[in-house]
Amino acid sequence: MKVITVESEHFPPSVNGLFANVSGRGRVRSKRYREWTSAAGWDMNGKGSITGPFEVAIILSRKKARANSDLDNYAKAVIDMLVTHKIVEDDHLLQRLTLEYGDCSGFFCEVRPHFPPL
């Protein structure tokens, strides 16, 4: 089974800060999201790809998270980057998500094909 791992020192932005409303343009990526996408994207290049249903385990740096932040608010940025860098085809194919705080510099994720239980 193919497993793809990505580790980055760049902590993802919260879903609450991914987009901004701009008069005349509507919703656009925030400056913070654009900067993170640019920096963390380099850590995803050349990792290969997984087709079809997949599952992801994400570990986020406890030290870089705000004390009162919601853990699940950080998953979207990481998963969207997996799609942008063609590691997975589309996020609607995500079948299982494991998310936790741990000891890493920014985030660590492991992506693998999803095989339903027998």
Side-chain angles (χ1 to χ4, degrees):
M1 168 182 6
K2 181 175 190 171
V3 177
I4 296 173
T5 59
V6 177
E7 187 166 4
S8 177
E9 66 184 35
H10 306 285
F11 190 79
S14 167
V15 71
N16 298 321
L18 297 184
F19 297 94
N21 293 319
V22 176
S23 180
R25 292 181 53 203
R27 306 254 316 145
V28 298
R29 287 185 174 200
S30 68
K31 180 181 177 190
R32 165 86 169 97
Y33 190 27
R34 288 191 316 271
E35 289 172 350
W36 178 80
T37 299
S38 177
W42 287 103
D43 298 321
M44 293 194 178
N45 286 338
K47 296 291 185 173
S49 63
I50 292 175
T51 58
F54 67 97
E55 52 190 69
V56 176
I58 301 172
I59 300 171
L60 296 161
S61 171
R62 167 55 92 183
K63 293 177 184 176
K64 291 189 176 180
R66 291 184 181 184
N68 62 349
S69 62
D70 294 341
L71 175 63
D72 60 327
N73 283 352
Y74 298 108
K76 179 161 182 52
V78 175
I79 294 167
D80 284 352
M81 284 284 289
L82 294 173
V83 175
T84 299
H85 288 272
K86 298 182 179 7
I87 292 173
V88 298
E89 296 173 274
D90 196 296
D91 54 355
H92 84 273
L93 294 169
L94 177 62
Q95 302 296 305
R96 178 179 296 145
L97 172 63
T98 305
L99 193 58
E100 63 185 278
Y101 287 121
D103 186 25
C104 60
S105 61
F107 75 89
F108 173 87
C109 74
E110 185 175 88
V111 186
R112 64 182 67 226
H114 176 74
F115 299 106
L118 300 174

